[in-house]
mmCIF file of all heavy atoms in Angstrom:
data_model
loop_
_atom_site.group_PDB
_atom_site.id
_atom_site.type_symbol
_atom_site.label_atom_id
_atom_site.label_comp_id
_atom_site.label_asym_id
_atom_site.label_seq_id
_atom_site.Cartn_x
_atom_site.Cartn_y
_atom_site.Cartn_z
ATOM 1 N N ASN B 44 4.577 -2.470 -11.242
ATOM 2 C CA ASN B 44 4.333 -3.914 -11.361
ATOM 3 C C ASN B 44 5.257 -4.618 -12.355
ATOM 4 O O ASN B 44 5.629 -5.773 -12.140
ATOM 5 C CB ASN B 44 2.872 -4.198 -11.695
ATOM 6 C CG ASN B 44 1.997 -4.159 -10.467
ATOM 7 O OD1 ASN B 44 2.475 -4.209 -9.341
ATOM 8 N ND2 ASN B 44 0.693 -4.070 -10.693
ATOM 9 N N GLU B 45 5.626 -3.968 -13.430
ATOM 10 C CA GLU B 45 6.539 -4.610 -14.396
ATOM 11 C C GLU B 45 7.888 -4.908 -13.746
ATOM 12 O O GLU B 45 8.475 -5.966 -13.965
ATOM 13 C CB GLU B 45 6.712 -3.748 -15.649
ATOM 14 C CG GLU B 45 5.500 -3.752 -16.557
ATOM 15 C CD GLU B 45 5.097 -5.147 -17.006
ATOM 16 O OE1 GLU B 45 5.979 -5.949 -17.404
ATOM 17 O OE2 GLU B 45 3.884 -5.447 -16.949
ATOM 18 N N GLU B 46 8.382 -3.977 -12.950
ATOM 19 C CA GLU B 46 9.647 -4.198 -12.241
ATOM 20 C C GLU B 46 9.480 -5.291 -11.194
ATOM 21 O O GLU B 46 10.376 -6.111 -10.989
ATOM 22 C CB GLU B 46 10.128 -2.889 -11.593
ATOM 23 C CG GLU B 46 11.457 -2.993 -10.897
ATOM 24 C CD GLU B 46 12.640 -3.269 -11.827
ATOM 25 O OE1 GLU B 46 12.494 -3.186 -13.055
ATOM 26 O OE2 GLU B 46 13.732 -3.565 -11.304
ATOM 27 N N ARG B 47 8.318 -5.321 -10.526
ATOM 28 C CA ARG B 47 8.050 -6.393 -9.561
ATOM 29 C C ARG B 47 8.101 -7.757 -10.248
ATOM 30 O O ARG B 47 8.679 -8.703 -9.721
ATOM 31 C CB ARG B 47 6.680 -6.195 -8.912
ATOM 32 C CG ARG B 47 6.633 -5.095 -7.903
ATOM 33 C CD ARG B 47 5.270 -5.042 -7.199
ATOM 34 N NE ARG B 47 5.257 -3.976 -6.232
ATOM 35 C CZ ARG B 47 4.698 -2.786 -6.427
ATOM 36 N NH1 ARG B 47 4.086 -2.508 -7.567
ATOM 37 N NH2 ARG B 47 4.766 -1.867 -5.485
ATOM 38 N N LYS B 48 7.476 -7.855 -11.418
ATOM 39 C CA LYS B 48 7.496 -9.125 -12.164
ATOM 40 C C LYS B 48 8.919 -9.526 -12.508
ATOM 41 O O LYS B 48 9.286 -10.695 -12.408
ATOM 42 C CB LYS B 48 6.676 -8.996 -13.453
ATOM 43 C CG LYS B 48 5.192 -8.973 -13.229
ATOM 44 C CD LYS B 48 4.488 -8.815 -14.573
ATOM 45 C CE LYS B 48 3.011 -8.545 -14.403
ATOM 46 N NZ LYS B 48 2.347 -8.300 -15.686
ATOM 47 N N ARG B 49 9.722 -8.556 -12.929
ATOM 48 C CA ARG B 49 11.103 -8.843 -13.321
ATOM 49 C C ARG B 49 11.894 -9.398 -12.147
ATOM 50 O O ARG B 49 12.660 -10.348 -12.300
ATOM 51 C CB ARG B 49 11.772 -7.565 -13.851
ATOM 52 C CG ARG B 49 13.154 -7.786 -14.455
ATOM 53 C CD ARG B 49 13.828 -6.480 -14.809
ATOM 54 N NE ARG B 49 14.263 -5.714 -13.672
ATOM 55 C CZ ARG B 49 15.291 -6.025 -12.863
ATOM 56 N NH1 ARG B 49 15.985 -7.116 -13.071
ATOM 57 N NH2 ARG B 49 15.619 -5.242 -11.852
ATOM 58 N N ILE B 50 11.677 -8.856 -10.950
ATOM 59 C CA ILE B 50 12.420 -9.281 -9.765
ATOM 60 C C ILE B 50 11.839 -10.567 -9.174
ATOM 61 O O ILE B 50 12.555 -11.372 -8.600
ATOM 62 C CB ILE B 50 12.428 -8.155 -8.703
ATOM 63 C CG1 ILE B 50 13.178 -6.951 -9.246
ATOM 64 C CG2 ILE B 50 13.048 -8.622 -7.395
ATOM 65 C CD1 ILE B 50 13.051 -5.703 -8.384
ATOM 66 N N GLY B 51 10.518 -10.752 -9.325
ATOM 67 C CA GLY B 51 9.855 -11.914 -8.734
ATOM 68 C C GLY B 51 9.017 -11.558 -7.523
ATOM 69 O O GLY B 51 8.621 -12.419 -6.747
ATOM 70 N N ILE B 52 8.713 -10.264 -7.360
ATOM 71 C CA ILE B 52 7.882 -9.777 -6.264
ATOM 72 C C ILE B 52 6.420 -9.873 -6.707
ATOM 73 O O ILE B 52 6.106 -9.634 -7.869
ATOM 74 C CB ILE B 52 8.223 -8.306 -5.930
ATOM 75 C CG1 ILE B 52 9.703 -8.164 -5.569
ATOM 76 C CG2 ILE B 52 7.339 -7.765 -4.838
ATOM 77 C CD1 ILE B 52 10.181 -6.731 -5.467
ATOM 78 N N ALA B 53 5.530 -10.198 -5.774
ATOM 79 C CA ALA B 53 4.101 -10.234 -6.089
ATOM 80 C C ALA B 53 3.644 -8.844 -6.530
ATOM 81 O O ALA B 53 4.030 -7.842 -5.942
ATOM 82 C CB ALA B 53 3.301 -10.693 -4.870
ATOM 83 N N THR B 54 2.829 -8.808 -7.578
ATOM 84 C CA THR B 54 2.365 -7.521 -8.107
ATOM 85 C C THR B 54 1.268 -6.936 -7.225
ATOM 86 O O THR B 54 0.661 -7.630 -6.412
ATOM 87 C CB THR B 54 1.831 -7.686 -9.547
ATOM 88 O OG1 THR B 54 0.770 -8.638 -9.541
ATOM 89 C CG2 THR B 54 2.943 -8.128 -10.488
ATOM 90 N N LEU B 55 1.032 -5.659 -7.402
ATOM 91 C CA LEU B 55 -0.001 -4.951 -6.664
ATOM 92 C C LEU B 55 -1.278 -4.932 -7.503
ATOM 93 O O LEU B 55 -1.294 -4.347 -8.582
ATOM 94 C CB LEU B 55 0.452 -3.517 -6.362
ATOM 95 C CG LEU B 55 -0.556 -2.619 -5.654
ATOM 96 C CD1 LEU B 55 -0.867 -3.146 -4.255
ATOM 97 C CD2 LEU B 55 -0.011 -1.201 -5.572
ATOM 98 N N PRO B 56 -2.349 -5.585 -7.030
ATOM 99 C CA PRO B 56 -3.615 -5.554 -7.784
ATOM 100 C C PRO B 56 -4.158 -4.133 -7.891
ATOM 101 O O PRO B 56 -4.023 -3.322 -6.968
ATOM 102 C CB PRO B 56 -4.551 -6.437 -6.942
ATOM 103 C CG PRO B 56 -3.639 -7.332 -6.165
ATOM 104 C CD PRO B 56 -2.433 -6.483 -5.871
ATOM 105 N N ALA B 57 -4.776 -3.843 -9.015
ATOM 106 C CA ALA B 57 -5.273 -2.487 -9.281
ATOM 107 C C ALA B 57 -6.382 -2.062 -8.331
ATOM 108 O O ALA B 57 -6.558 -0.869 -8.093
ATOM 109 C CB ALA B 57 -5.771 -2.398 -10.722
ATOM 110 N N ASP B 58 -7.116 -3.015 -7.748
ATOM 111 C CA ASP B 58 -8.234 -2.644 -6.881
ATOM 112 C C ASP B 58 -7.851 -2.505 -5.407
ATOM 113 O O ASP B 58 -8.684 -2.165 -4.575
ATOM 114 C CB ASP B 58 -9.385 -3.643 -7.022
ATOM 115 C CG ASP B 58 -9.017 -5.046 -6.581
ATOM 116 O OD1 ASP B 58 -7.814 -5.374 -6.534
ATOM 117 O OD2 ASP B 58 -9.944 -5.830 -6.290
ATOM 118 N N TRP B 59 -6.571 -2.731 -5.062
ATOM 119 C CA TRP B 59 -6.155 -2.580 -3.667
ATOM 120 C C TRP B 59 -6.090 -1.106 -3.305
ATOM 121 O O TRP B 59 -5.817 -0.260 -4.154
ATOM 122 C CB TRP B 59 -4.817 -3.269 -3.438
ATOM 123 C CG TRP B 59 -4.964 -4.752 -3.274
ATOM 124 C CD1 TRP B 59 -5.924 -5.545 -3.828
ATOM 125 C CD2 TRP B 59 -4.113 -5.607 -2.532
ATOM 126 N NE1 TRP B 59 -5.716 -6.851 -3.466
ATOM 127 C CE2 TRP B 59 -4.620 -6.918 -2.667
ATOM 128 C CE3 TRP B 59 -2.983 -5.411 -1.762
ATOM 129 C CZ2 TRP B 59 -4.024 -8.015 -2.057
ATOM 130 C CZ3 TRP B 59 -2.384 -6.502 -1.166
ATOM 131 C CH2 TRP B 59 -2.907 -7.790 -1.307
ATOM 132 N N GLU B 60 -6.297 -0.814 -2.029
ATOM 133 C CA GLU B 60 -6.396 0.562 -1.562
ATOM 134 C C GLU B 60 -5.349 0.864 -0.499
ATOM 135 O O GLU B 60 -4.913 -0.027 0.219
ATOM 136 C CB GLU B 60 -7.783 0.779 -0.935
ATOM 137 C CG GLU B 60 -8.921 0.409 -1.840
ATOM 138 C CD GLU B 60 -10.243 0.234 -1.098
ATOM 139 O OE1 GLU B 60 -10.220 0.016 0.134
ATOM 140 O OE2 GLU B 60 -11.273 0.310 -1.767
ATOM 141 N N THR B 61 -4.989 2.132 -0.418
ATOM 142 C CA THR B 61 -4.135 2.609 0.669
ATOM 143 C C THR B 61 -4.708 3.901 1.213
ATOM 144 O O THR B 61 -5.272 4.701 0.472
ATOM 145 C CB THR B 61 -2.678 2.825 0.223
ATOM 146 O OG1 THR B 61 -1.908 3.226 1.349
ATOM 147 C CG2 THR B 61 -2.552 3.857 -0.871
ATOM 148 N N LYS B 62 -4.557 4.082 2.509
ATOM 149 C CA LYS B 62 -4.977 5.332 3.133
ATOM 150 C C LYS B 62 -3.764 6.133 3.568
ATOM 151 O O LYS B 62 -3.905 7.198 4.142
ATOM 152 C CB LYS B 62 -5.899 5.040 4.318
ATOM 153 C CG LYS B 62 -7.196 4.424 3.858
ATOM 154 C CD LYS B 62 -8.149 4.181 4.971
ATOM 155 C CE LYS B 62 -9.397 3.580 4.360
ATOM 156 N NZ LYS B 62 -10.333 3.072 5.276
ATOM 157 N N ASP B 63 -2.577 5.608 3.287
ATOM 158 C CA ASP B 63 -1.326 6.283 3.637
ATOM 159 C C ASP B 63 -1.013 7.292 2.545
ATOM 160 O O ASP B 63 -0.555 6.931 1.475
ATOM 161 C CB ASP B 63 -0.185 5.271 3.765
ATOM 162 C CG ASP B 63 -0.459 4.221 4.813
ATOM 163 O OD1 ASP B 63 -1.078 4.570 5.832
ATOM 164 O OD2 ASP B 63 -0.070 3.070 4.617
ATOM 165 N N ARG B 64 -1.261 8.557 2.844
ATOM 166 C CA ARG B 64 -1.109 9.575 1.818
ATOM 167 C C ARG B 64 0.188 10.352 1.934
ATOM 168 O O ARG B 64 0.780 10.713 0.945
ATOM 169 C CB ARG B 64 -2.283 10.538 1.889
ATOM 170 C CG ARG B 64 -3.578 9.830 1.595
ATOM 171 C CD ARG B 64 -4.709 10.790 1.599
ATOM 172 N NE ARG B 64 -5.927 10.052 1.333
ATOM 173 C CZ ARG B 64 -7.081 10.336 1.860
ATOM 174 N NH1 ARG B 64 -7.211 11.357 2.659
ATOM 175 N NH2 ARG B 64 -8.135 9.626 1.572
ATOM 176 N N TYR B 65 0.614 10.648 3.141
ATOM 177 C CA TYR B 65 1.707 11.586 3.318
ATOM 178 C C TYR B 65 2.989 10.948 3.829
ATOM 179 O O TYR B 65 3.965 11.627 4.010
ATOM 180 C CB TYR B 65 1.287 12.699 4.285
ATOM 181 C CG TYR B 65 0.011 13.378 3.865
ATOM 182 C CD1 TYR B 65 -1.139 13.262 4.617
ATOM 183 C CD2 TYR B 65 -0.044 14.120 2.700
ATOM 184 C CE1 TYR B 65 -2.316 13.873 4.224
ATOM 185 C CE2 TYR B 65 -1.216 14.737 2.299
ATOM 186 C CZ TYR B 65 -2.346 14.615 3.066
ATOM 187 O OH TYR B 65 -3.494 15.220 2.669
ATOM 188 N N THR B 66 2.977 9.660 4.102
ATOM 189 C CA THR B 66 4.145 9.017 4.688
ATOM 190 C C THR B 66 4.985 8.341 3.618
ATOM 191 O O THR B 66 4.545 8.136 2.493
ATOM 192 C CB THR B 66 3.728 7.976 5.737
ATOM 193 O OG1 THR B 66 2.991 6.938 5.078
ATOM 194 C CG2 THR B 66 2.871 8.598 6.817
ATOM 195 N N GLU B 67 6.192 7.959 4.005
ATOM 196 C CA GLU B 67 7.072 7.235 3.098
ATOM 197 C C GLU B 67 6.676 5.761 3.012
ATOM 198 O O GLU B 67 7.098 5.051 2.120
ATOM 199 C CB GLU B 67 8.531 7.323 3.568
ATOM 200 C CG GLU B 67 9.138 8.703 3.445
ATOM 201 C CD GLU B 67 8.769 9.615 4.611
ATOM 202 O OE1 GLU B 67 8.355 9.123 5.670
ATOM 203 O OE2 GLU B 67 8.877 10.836 4.431
ATOM 204 N N THR B 68 5.891 5.287 3.968
ATOM 205 C CA THR B 68 5.449 3.904 3.982
ATOM 206 C C THR B 68 4.012 3.830 3.496
ATOM 207 O O THR B 68 3.141 4.533 4.002
ATOM 208 C CB THR B 68 5.533 3.320 5.405
ATOM 209 O OG1 THR B 68 6.882 3.423 5.855
ATOM 210 C CG2 THR B 68 5.106 1.873 5.438
ATOM 211 N N LYS B 69 3.778 2.973 2.516
ATOM 212 C CA LYS B 69 2.431 2.776 1.986
ATOM 213 C C LYS B 69 2.029 1.330 2.242
ATOM 214 O O LYS B 69 2.768 0.404 1.916
ATOM 215 C CB LYS B 69 2.382 3.030 0.478
ATOM 216 C CG LYS B 69 2.913 4.369 0.062
ATOM 217 C CD LYS B 69 1.878 5.434 0.188
ATOM 218 C CE LYS B 69 2.380 6.732 -0.394
ATOM 219 N NZ LYS B 69 2.441 7.804 0.534
ATOM 220 N N ASN B 70 0.861 1.146 2.854
ATOM 221 C CA ASN B 70 0.300 -0.177 3.080
ATOM 222 C C ASN B 70 -0.959 -0.306 2.248
ATOM 223 O O ASN B 70 -1.900 0.455 2.432
ATOM 224 C CB ASN B 70 -0.039 -0.384 4.563
ATOM 225 C CG ASN B 70 1.203 -0.457 5.408
ATOM 226 O OD1 ASN B 70 2.046 -1.312 5.191
ATOM 227 N ND2 ASN B 70 1.327 0.445 6.358
ATOM 228 N N TRP B 71 -0.960 -1.267 1.332
ATOM 229 C CA TRP B 71 -2.126 -1.531 0.500
ATOM 230 C C TRP B 71 -2.848 -2.753 1.022
ATOM 231 O O TRP B 71 -2.222 -3.715 1.480
ATOM 232 C CB TRP B 71 -1.712 -1.785 -0.946
ATOM 233 C CG TRP B 71 -1.497 -0.557 -1.756
ATOM 234 C CD1 TRP B 71 -2.430 0.147 -2.451
ATOM 235 C CD2 TRP B 71 -0.263 0.113 -2.002
ATOM 236 N NE1 TRP B 71 -1.856 1.206 -3.100
ATOM 237 C CE2 TRP B 71 -0.524 1.201 -2.842
ATOM 238 C CE3 TRP B 71 1.046 -0.102 -1.585
ATOM 239 C CZ2 TRP B 71 0.458 2.074 -3.283
ATOM 240 C CZ3 TRP B 71 2.023 0.764 -2.016
ATOM 241 C CH2 TRP B 71 1.737 1.836 -2.858
ATOM 242 N N HIS B 72 -4.186 -2.737 0.921
ATOM 243 C CA HIS B 72 -5.019 -3.844 1.352
ATOM 244 C C HIS B 72 -6.083 -4.097 0.301
ATOM 245 O O HIS B 72 -6.510 -3.162 -0.384
ATOM 246 C CB HIS B 72 -5.716 -3.522 2.677
ATOM 247 C CG HIS B 72 -4.753 -3.193 3.776
ATOM 248 N ND1 HIS B 72 -4.125 -4.155 4.511
ATOM 249 C CD2 HIS B 72 -4.303 -2.015 4.247
ATOM 250 C CE1 HIS B 72 -3.331 -3.575 5.400
ATOM 251 N NE2 HIS B 72 -3.403 -2.279 5.248
#
Side-chain angles (χ1 to χ4, degrees):
N44 279 344
E45 287 303 315
E46 183 66 11
R47 286 185 180 101
K48 286 179 190 176
R49 188 187 71 71
I50 296 170
I52 302 170
T54 58
L55 177 64
D58 63 339
W59 280 30
E60 306 163 339
T61 183
K62 294 183 179 170
D63 301 325
R64 297 183 181 145
Y65 306 113
T66 64
E67 291 82 19
T68 302
K69 306 276 187 240
N70 291 301
W71 277 273
H72 302 277

